[in-house]
Amino acid sequence: GAGALPVHAHPFTSDAFPDSLPELVAAGLAGIEVYYAEYTPERRETLSRIAAANGLLATGGSDYHGEQFKKQRVLGSVTIPAADLQRFLDQLDREATPSR
């Protein structure tokens, strides 16, 4: 109701992933963080396939928590492909638009 899109952040840090996806999707999960600062290109590709297979958005972020947290995490350092960003923005717009 708030117009938010629930996303599973850095899913490979969860022991339950990907087995927990059906339950999370049923509860309203909209995406998974594919483009995470500490993931290799191979892990990102795996997550991209998992997202597509489950009808989920592929999101991303640098996981920046401030200058004193982890030096290798720089705000804005993770690039998200334009197509994935557009899908996210389109879905966000649909969530924010009241039903008629």
Side-chain angles (χ1 to χ4, degrees), residues 7-13 17 29 31-39 43-44 47-48 51 56-64 78 80:
V7 173
H8 192 321
H10 32 81
F12 280 134
T13 61
F17 183 82
L29 185 70
I32 57 175
E33 186 178 31
V34 171
Y35 308 102
Y36 176 55
E38 296 182 15
Y39 286 162
R43 284 199 140 192
R44 291 176 181 192
L47 285 171
S48 183
L56 297 170
L57 297 167
T59 70
S62 59
D63 203 19
Y64 179 77
V78 174
I80 301 168

